[in-house]
Amino acid sequence: MKGLLFALLAGAFVTLQGVANTQISAGIGTWPAAALTQFIGFVAALIIWALVRDGNRRELGRVHPLYLSGGALAAIIIFTNVTAIQQVGVTMTISVLLIAQLCITFLIDSMGWFGVRKQRMRWPQFIGIALMIAGVIILKF
């Protein structure tokens, strides 16, 4: 239950962040907005880490280099999210974003990438994705 609550919050915050970043980028540009919000996120994470004292600092040097690319991906995520919101609006952007996330997670799960336990995808999962795509098409009209 706790995991579902965090997933719900993450979804809400992704949407709120996209809208906020779009407003910031209107005044200063998309890449500066991405840099600014990434920096603020970095500072906020450091403060929370200092307060919560979660994790093990000694293990930081052992993080696989491939996984360090997540920070660079975040900048690209901000840029593409802001650009999409400017072009097609918040609802369409988040709808397509969710479908893209599900499609990539299907690949990750079915192929066992990034050390994730391989899972078999069945017809109900594919039907669910197809229904979501149909829903986005309906939203567009």
Side-chain angles (χ1 to χ4, degrees):
M1 186 66 175
K2 189 176 179 181
L4 292 177
L5 176 62
F6 279 114
L8 183 66
L9 289 171
F13 290 140
V14 164
T15 301
L16 293 172
Q17 181 192 37
V19 173
N21 288 340
T22 301
Q23 294 302 317
I24 294 168
S25 73
I28 66 172
T30 306
W31 284 112
L36 178 64
T37 56
Q38 287 271 70
F39 177 71
I40 292 168
F42 172 75
V43 171
L46 279 180
I47 291 169
I48 293 168
W49 184 22
L51 295 172
V52 175
R53 300 197 182 276
D54 174 0
N56 183 347
R57 281 188 296 158
R58 293 182 187 128
E59 294 296 318
L60 287 175
R62 295 184 182 171
V63 175
H64 192 285
L66 174 65
Y67 303 142
L68 292 175
S69 67
L73 291 176
I76 295 167
I77 290 165
I78 291 170
F79 176 81
T80 55
N81 199 21
V82 165
T83 303
I85 288 171
Q86 291 169 340
Q87 299 289 319
V88 298
V90 179
T91 301
M92 188 58 64
T93 296
I94 298 303
S95 298
V96 173
L97 180 148
L98 291 173
I99 290 169
Q101 282 182 324
L102 279 174
C103 290
I104 295 299
T105 58
F106 271 26
L107 280 174
I108 292 169
D109 276 345
S110 64
M111 303 293 199
W113 293 344
F114 304 104
V116 172
R117 186 175 56 93
K118 215 178 209 185
Q119 295 187 33
R120 186 168 167 242
M121 295 297 128
R122 296 185 177 94
W123 278 110
Q125 287 84 27
F126 291 108
I127 292 169
I129 289 288
L131 288 171
M132 287 184 71
I133 292 169
V136 170
I137 292 168
I138 292 168
L139 269 175
K140 187 168 170 73
F141 296 106

